[in-house]
């Protein structure tokens, strides 16, 4: 384990370690405008949503580490406190990356990236037509975290209008993450594509779940299960009843296992625990618990 105090590292090393640890990060593709009406488009991965009432998000255009200068985006929101946060899908990834170039102020990133600017409803900055979600925002506050290179500037925004491409909506009106196909930022030059690694995790069943401490010790201490797998078993609200366990013991498949391996406790445990492990992977935690308890 490498341990350190942040101030003991130089800025570049500290920056890369922190970005590697806190990842993946969503990307705010921020469209702003200066007081002369010149548009700017730039991505920021210091970004997230922090409140739904009022709907509030924060992104941070940090001061450049090498020369302590600030981004055009920060200058713009200080002049015109409005921004459109466009959400980045894989289909516009490389166009987004183009806009991360530190162009001169008079360069129009919409033109340079061939992305289409379209009028917003409530704010002056343009939206990115190709973005599947566009959040029009007013800037409520800017918190400057420091005056040295690498210091963040928290741009606190209230969402005042939302645009979602209908092609990514499910029948219940919510966003389908696969169709949204977002990308996220990692350290250095790495990104990840959300749709290639999406999985769903069921929440605990109320407040009266077993918890890890409610599982029998011989299950908790089994060498066959990871902590993640045990935690899935621990979401159950109770251990199976004796009647449920008896039904499992007398089922055809289980009778065969007991007849074949019942004379060898180690082999029997291995077979049952591996069977339960496979059931957990299939999302059948209750069935896995019944099988495990059949050998208590």
């Amino acid at each position: 384990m490498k341990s350190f105090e942040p101030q003991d590292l130089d800025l570049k090393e500290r920056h890369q370690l922190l970005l590697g640890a806190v990842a993946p990060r969503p990307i705010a593709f921020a469209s702003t405008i200066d007081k002369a009406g010149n548009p700017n488009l730039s991505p920021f991965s210091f970004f997230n949503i922090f409140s739904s009432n009022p709907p509030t998000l924060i992104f941070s255009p940090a001061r450049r580490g090498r020369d302590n200068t600030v981004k055009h985006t920060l200058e713009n929101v200080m002049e015109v406190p409005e921004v459109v946060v466009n959400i980045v899908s894989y289909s516009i990834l490389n166009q987004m990356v183009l806009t991360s170039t530190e162009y001169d102020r008079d360069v129009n990133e919409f033109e340079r990236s061939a992305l289409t600017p379209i009028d917003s409803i409530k704010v002056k900055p343009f939206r990115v037509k190709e973005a599947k979600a566009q959040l029009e925002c007013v800037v409520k506050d800017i918190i400057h975290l420091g005056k040295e290179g690498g210091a963040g500037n928290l741009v606190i925004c209230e969402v005042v209008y939302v645009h979602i491409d209908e092609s990514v909506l499910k029948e219940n009106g919510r966003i389908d993450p696969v169709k949204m196909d977002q990308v996220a930022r990692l350290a250095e030059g790495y990104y990840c594509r959300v749709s290639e690694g999406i999985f769903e995790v069921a929440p605990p069943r109320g407040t009266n779940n077993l918890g890890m401490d409610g599982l029998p010790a011989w299950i908790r201490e089994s060498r066959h299960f990871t902590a993640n797998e045990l935690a899935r078993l621990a979401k159950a609200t109770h251990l199976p009843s004796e009647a449920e366990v008896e039904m499992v013991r007398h089922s055809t498949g289980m009778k065969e296992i007991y007849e074949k391996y019942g004379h060898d406790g180690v082999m029997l445990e291995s077979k049952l625990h591996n069977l339960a492990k496979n059931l957990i992977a299939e999302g059948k935690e209750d069935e896995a618990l019944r099988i495990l308890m059949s050998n208590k």
Side-chain angles (χ1 to χ4, degrees), residues 14-32:
R14 183 195 319 159
H15 180 77
Q16 289 300 330
L17 284 174
L18 291 173
L19 266 61
V22 184
R25 300 180 305 283
I27 301 169
F29 201 12
S31 170
T32 58

Side-chain angles (χ1 to χ4, degrees), residues 34 38-40 72 103-109 111-112:
D34 66 16
N38 299 307
N40 182 269
H72 296 149
Y103 295 120
D104 292 336
R105 175 169 277 283
D106 60 353
V107 172
N108 184 329
E109 287 86 359
E111 293 178 355
R112 190 58 59 94

Side-chain angles (χ1 to χ4, degrees), residues 224-236:
H224 298 279
F225 303 116
T226 66
N228 265 323
E229 290 166 336
L230 291 172
R232 290 177 64 172
L233 293 176
K235 290 179 184 178

Side-chain angles (χ1 to χ4, degrees), residues 201-206 235:
V201 177
R205 305 173 197 172
K235 290 179 184 178

